[in-house]
Each structure stands twice: as structure tokens, then as C-alpha cells.
Amino acid sequence: MTKKEKVLEIQKIFETMYPDADCTLDFRTPHELLVSVQLAAQCTDARVNVVTKDLFQKYQSPEDFANADLEELMEDVRPCGFYRNKAKNIIASSRDIVEKFDGRVPDTMEELLTLAGVGRKTANLILGDVYGKPAVVVDTHCIRLSNRMGLTINKDPVKIEFDLKKCVPPEYQSKFCHQLVLHGRAICPARSPKCDRCPISHLCNYGKKIVGK
């Protein structure tokens, strides 16, 4: 079975297990998602959603964030941790969006990567969830599961991204990554994965070894 064939079989099962898999951050606009993702670094999505509920009432546009007082924004996002750098990046990226992109969050990888605090993971999330473009979001769940499944042998996020782009259908890439997060939490955590009751264990290199024992 090729990797492409394996992914298609996994997709059939994941679509029954996690049909509504989607981004777990709350947002109404592309810029709100960008801010939320910046805040989510080393912080849970649940906590970010609590913070942004009030934050997005106070700052309602890229212009509002671009003109925010740094010290005040630091306090606003303090519960998310690393609040100094996060506040600086949010203001800097918002200014660039206003001044260089006419207030619109860019829709290309190249342009997104010019924004403060934006790496490939964040850029791919924006591209996939906002603009519906093929995009592979490589987080810790994706790294762990894609290696266990045998879809990659790499640990470097960029290499994994391009490995998965070769075998995951473009229109399925974004949802696949969201499903990996849910599967990683429910069945395949870093420690003690539940291979004996995993519906895709027969398609997973790691699972086949464990179940075989």
C-alpha cells in the first residue's frame, strides 16, 4: 500500500470518527484567527478563547490592534503567557497588515511569513481555515501521528509538511490536520497510545507493531 492509498483509507475512517473536525480557536475574522494563533503558542486553545472573548470586544479591527498601547495589551493578554513578546508581535503584525496589505490578512505563504510572530504553522492555519487553500499544519500531534502512521520519517516540521503534501489530497489537508489533533488527544497521546482500540491501527506502522505483540 502506498502512502497515498493509506491516507485515503485513513480518511474514510476519520470522516466517521471526526466528521466535524475544525479549528478549536474562536474567531470571526481572518485577523482574529491570526491574533488567536499568536496567543496560542505555549498556551491551550481553551484559555486563549477565554482571553479573546473580551479582547475582541476591546480591539475590533487590525487598526485597533496596530494602535494599541503596548503595556495595556500586555496586561490584556497576560493570561496566555509570554505576554510581552506576544503583545509586541500582535501590534507589529497588525501595523504591517494595515500599512502594507490594506488591512487584509495576506493569503500567500510568502506574505504571511513577513509578519511578526508568524511561522509556517500559523501561516498554514490561516491559508487552510480562512482561505480554503491546501495547507498542512504541523503541530506536535501531527509530528507524532504522521511518524507513527509511517507517512514520514522526519521530525523537522518543514520536512514533515512537504512529506504530507505529497500523500494527502490537497482538498483534505487542512481537515486531516484537525482530525490528527482530535485523534491524538482521544486515542494516540504521546504516552500510552490506545492501539488496541484504535480503528486505524491496521493502517499504522506503530499500531501494527503494538497490536501484533
Side-chain angles (χ1 to χ4, degrees):
M1 179 181 288
T2 67
K3 291 178 181 178
K4 288 184 178 180
E5 291 170 336
K6 179 185 288 191
V7 169
L8 291 178
E9 291 302 309
I10 292 172
Q11 180 180 7
K12 293 176 185 177
I13 298 169
F14 273 3
E15 290 290 18
T16 64
M17 297 176 68
Y18 317 109
D20 301 318
D22 203 353
C23 182
T24 53
L25 292 167
D26 295 335
F27 67 97
R28 296 165 299 182
T29 68
H31 188 256
E32 285 187 355
L33 178 58
L34 177 60
V35 171
S36 292
V37 178
Q38 288 174 310
L39 292 176
Q42 305 299 314
C43 181
T44 66
D45 288 0
R47 173 164 291 190
V48 172
N49 287 338
V50 171
V51 171
T52 57
K53 185 175 182 180
D54 291 330
L55 190 72
F56 293 153
Q57 292 298 318
K58 183 175 182 179
Y59 307 95
Q60 298 187 14
S61 68
E63 289 82 3
D64 288 345
F65 279 103
N67 296 318
D69 176 79
L70 177 58
E71 295 296 329
E72 186 175 352
L73 185 58
M74 284 182 183
E75 288 305 310
D76 291 333
V77 302
R78 180 187 284 268
C80 295
F82 301 98
Y83 58 93
R84 292 183 178 86
N85 281 337
K86 289 180 180 180
K88 290 178 182 177
N89 286 336
I90 288 170
I91 291 175
S93 61
S94 297
R95 284 176 179 169
D96 279 348
I97 287 171
V98 171
E99 296 170 5
K100 298 179 181 179
F101 301 106
D102 297 321
R104 182 176 183 271
V105 176
D107 62 357
T108 69
M109 175 65 73
E110 293 73 21
E111 291 175 324
L112 284 165
L113 291 178
T114 66
L115 300 176
V118 175
R120 293 191 69 87
K121 182 172 76 171
T122 296
N124 273 311
L125 187 66
I126 297 292
L127 293 175
D129 282 44
V130 172
Y131 296 113
K133 295 187 175 185
V136 175
V137 179
V138 182
D139 60 8
T140 56
H141 294 289
C142 181
I143 293 172
R144 182 174 71 256
L145 271 66
S146 61
N147 270 271
R148 286 178 175 175
M149 291 174 179
L151 300 179
T152 183
I153 59 172
N154 288 301
K155 302 297 183 184
D156 177 73
V158 178
K159 292 180 179 179
I160 292 173
E161 176 188 335
F162 285 98
D163 283 345
L164 293 182
K165 283 185 174 181
K166 294 176 184 176
C167 61
V168 181
E171 69 279 4
Y172 178 52
Q173 289 174 5
S174 182
K175 189 171 186 180
F176 178 61
C177 294
H178 290 313
Q179 289 174 333
L180 289 180
V181 172
L182 296 179
H183 195 68
R185 290 173 178 168
I187 304 290
C188 195
R191 298 181 181 180
S192 303
K194 305 173 182 66
C195 300
D196 58 330
R197 62 182 185 87
C198 176
I200 65 164
S201 60
H202 63 294
L203 297 166
C204 174
N205 291 9
Y206 184 88
K208 283 188 286 189
K209 290 180 183 178
I210 298 300
V211 174
K213 292 179 181 179

